[in-house]
Amino acid sequence: RARGMQSPLPPYEVLPAGVSMEDLPRSTTVLLEEPPRPPRDHLVWSFFTTLYCNFCCLGLLAFLFSVKSRDRKVLGDYSGALSYSSTAKCLNITALVINIIAVVVVVTVLAIVVAGIANRENSPQF
């Protein structure tokens, strides 16, 4: 239910003639709503992605979106904060995957080059 909207009151009913208010049980109901959990802004993750895994400035973009998300969260705009947060998360994941692939490719190429050099040195020369 949206904030500020109250449920309609039940219809008014007249007490029967022989019943007084003092005979009826008294109770009070208080409904407390939990405030919505603010979304995560992934600021620390974006910061480290910016420092260590900054492929095509994806880390910097993720950091900027994380800062925007934190600003929206401070202002109480949780839907805007969630939008910026999910964008920062996607950019962080993309930068991480690209960097993992780059490391695997570099290690594979180095292993092939070292293996080729070792084979050339061990082969008999004519």
Side-chain angles (χ1 to χ4, degrees):
R1 192 181 315 174
R3 285 185 162 238
M5 293 185 61
Q6 296 180 358
S7 60
L9 296 174
Y12 176 73
E13 296 179 12
V14 179
L15 287 176
V19 179
S20 69
M21 285 297 290
E22 286 77 28
D23 297 339
L24 295 175
R26 296 175 190 246
S27 66
T28 304
T29 303
V30 177
L31 299 176
L32 297 176
E33 290 184 12
E34 282 188 34
R37 250 181 54 190
R40 298 183 62 171
D41 53 19
H42 307 291
L43 190 66
V44 174
W45 185 14
S46 298
F47 179 72
F48 285 112
T49 301
T50 301
L51 290 179
Y52 299 112
C53 306
N54 201 8
F55 179 79
C56 292
C57 293
L58 291 178
L60 181 62
L61 286 173
F63 186 71
L64 292 175
F65 277 100
S66 294
V67 170
K68 283 184 168 189
S69 174
R70 179 158 292 187
D71 290 344
R72 292 280 110 198
K73 186 169 60 170
V74 168
L75 292 175
D77 178 17
Y78 290 146
S79 63
L82 184 62
S83 174
Y84 285 128
S85 173
S86 64
T87 303
K89 182 178 178 181
C90 288
L91 289 169
N92 280 323
I93 291 171
T94 303
L96 181 65
V97 167
I98 289 172
N99 283 308
I100 288 173
I101 290 172
V103 167
V104 168
V105 167
V106 167
V107 167
T108 304
V109 168
L110 285 176
I112 291 172
V113 168
V114 168
I117 292 173
N119 283 340
R120 197 172 349 148
E121 289 177 0
N122 291 336
S123 64
Q125 306 226 345
F126 295 105

